[in-house]
């Protein structure tokens, strides 16, 4: 196995902090509790910081390391179906799309949550319904994200969870 540094400490900390906050929001934080609002602010701040880091951060943290591309995702999916196992150092094309989807969805759910606290949108049904729809989309996306990580870990033999903890991907050598 070859160890390659991929995700820096900032990427890993923001990833796990957002994951913990989203898990808390979706599982046990009542939407009427003030902490629900503060957790949403924290998620929004962390995603904003991560987006800035995508512009100025380390090599594999930058958007250029995993550009969103439907075409690349289709090609990647076709290669997976043919048994391709060549590792990606950053996100694979499907993982890249999921990353951008999660960031966008989290920003929208946070912003609609903020709107619901304003005088203009307090009690406005469509804002609350849209907030709930996007929150449910975040839940679906998280489930698909975790399923993708499990699949990619088994398929590529690269433990992605360990890599997101240690910052290093252990890439199998030739013939492994």
């Amino acid at each position: 196995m070859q160890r390659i540094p991929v995700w820096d400490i900032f990427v890993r900390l923001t990833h796990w902090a957002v994951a913990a906050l989203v898990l808390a929001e979706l599982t046990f934080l009542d939407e009427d509790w003030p902490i629900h609002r503060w957790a949403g602010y924290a998620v929004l701040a962390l995603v904003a910081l991560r987006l800035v880091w995508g512009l100025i951060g380390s090599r594999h943290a930058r958007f250029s390391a995993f550009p969103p591309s439907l075409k690349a995702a289709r090609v990647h999916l076709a290669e997976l179906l043919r048994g391709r196992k060549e590792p990606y150092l950053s996100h694979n094309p499907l993982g890249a799309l999921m990353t951008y989807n999660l960031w966008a969805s989290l920003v929208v759910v946070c912003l609609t949550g903020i709107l619901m606290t304003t005088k203009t949108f307090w009690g406005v049904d469509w804002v609350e319904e849209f907030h709930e729809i996007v929150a449910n989309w975040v839940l679906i996306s998280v489930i698909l994200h975790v399923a993708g990580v499990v699949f990619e870990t088994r398929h590529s033999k690269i433990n992605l969870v360990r890599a997101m903890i240690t910052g290093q991907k252990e890439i199998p050598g030739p013939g492994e």
Side-chain angles (χ1 to χ4, degrees), residues 27-50:
T27 56
F28 64 85
L29 290 182
D30 187 287
E31 61 192 40
D32 293 327
W33 294 354
I35 195 167
H36 176 82
R37 186 176 329 135
W38 288 105
Y41 293 146
V43 168
L44 185 59
L46 288 166
V47 172
L49 288 170
R50 178 58 184 93

Side-chain angles (χ1 to χ4, degrees), residues 3-113:
R3 289 183 183 202
I4 300 173
V6 178
W7 291 307
D8 61 56
I9 189 69
F10 187 81
V11 168
R12 298 187 328 259
L13 287 176
T14 55
H15 174 272
W16 291 113
V18 168
L21 287 165
V22 168
L23 180 65
E25 289 280 46
L26 293 173
T27 56
F28 64 85
L29 290 182
D30 187 287
E31 61 192 40
D32 293 327
W33 294 354
I35 195 167
H36 176 82
R37 186 176 329 135
W38 288 105
Y41 293 146
V43 168
L44 185 59
L46 288 166
V47 172
L49 288 170
R50 178 58 184 93
L51 293 175
V52 169
W53 197 244
L55 297 171
I56 65 171
S58 62
R59 179 175 149 206
H60 297 293
R62 291 183 184 218
F63 302 134
S64 59
F66 55 102
S69 169
L70 290 173
K71 181 180 178 186
R74 282 192 303 270
V75 169
H76 175 68
L77 191 55
E79 290 174 349
L80 279 176
L81 295 172
R82 287 193 294 267
R84 177 193 185 280
K85 291 188 179 185
E86 185 178 328
Y88 287 85
L89 289 184
S90 187
H91 296 80
N92 67 46
L94 289 171
L97 287 180
M98 180 55 75
T99 300
Y100 289 101
N101 163 60
L102 281 166
W103 287 336
S105 299
L106 288 169
V107 167
V108 170
V109 80
C110 290
L111 291 179
T112 56

